[in-house]
Amino acid sequence: SSGINAEWPLRPGSEEIKETIYKLSKKGLTPSQIGVILRDSHGVAQVKAITGTKILRILKAKGLSSKIPEDLYHLIKKAVAIRKHLEKNRQDKDSKYRLILVESRIHKLARYYKTKTVLP
């Protein structure tokens, strides 16, 4: 029989991968972190190639996805860190400029997610 599992007895199947994704998500990991762990420890190069769906969609179907998209969350986190830095170092003109760039990226992304009705 020619199936993936016939040639690769150690490679996990679609259901095992989904279970692992749920487990890692409950630990509080983001889809990106889950993907990295699956790639490094479980030998899964692309979840989509095996399960047919992306990690985020698998989590959404189970109701485990976060309220705020991961990329937007990280941009906001970065902006907060820059603001905190600027409180201590008011003279840092470059950081002030970078903050403007990051914030405009946040606004652009938020606008995109609102059109896609991911955000209210």
Side-chain angles (χ1 to χ4, degrees):
S1 68
S2 67
I4 292 175
N5 290 341
E7 286 99 48
W8 300 95
L10 301 174
R11 181 168 288 179
S14 180
E15 285 310 309
E16 294 111 82
I17 290 174
K18 284 182 181 174
E19 288 307 313
T20 311
I21 290 172
Y22 301 145
K23 211 180 296 166
L24 292 170
S25 176
K26 287 193 176 105
K27 282 184 185 171
L29 297 175
T30 64
S32 302
Q33 292 168 318
I34 292 171
V36 168
I37 289 172
L38 286 174
R39 184 196 66 205
D40 295 347
S41 334
H42 301 277
V44 177
Q46 292 283 312
V47 170
K48 189 171 182 252
I50 299 171
T51 61
T53 31
K54 299 177 179 182
I55 295 175
L56 186 62
R57 293 215 176 113
I58 292 170
L59 291 175
K60 266 191 184 143
K62 192 87 166 173
L64 291 170
S65 63
S66 63
K67 297 270 181 287
I68 180 171
E70 189 182 349
D71 49 358
L72 186 62
Y73 169 76
H74 284 295
L75 279 177
I76 292 169
K77 203 169 147 188
K78 182 182 270 190
V80 168
I82 297 174
R83 275 196 187 282
K84 197 172 156 195
H85 166 79
L86 278 171
E87 276 174 26
K88 279 181 266 172
N89 311 285
R90 291 198 183 282
Q91 298 301 310
D92 193 346
K93 297 276 190 266
D94 186 56
S95 286
K96 207 174 276 183
Y97 174 65
R98 298 287 162 215
L99 178 66
I100 292 167
L101 295 183
V102 169
E103 284 181 342
S104 67
R105 240 182 295 157
I106 290 170
H107 292 303
K108 193 186 289 181
L109 203 53
R111 201 166 56 231
Y112 165 76
Y113 281 130
K114 277 180 181 157
T115 62
K116 292 277 176 260
T117 63
V118 177
L119 292 176

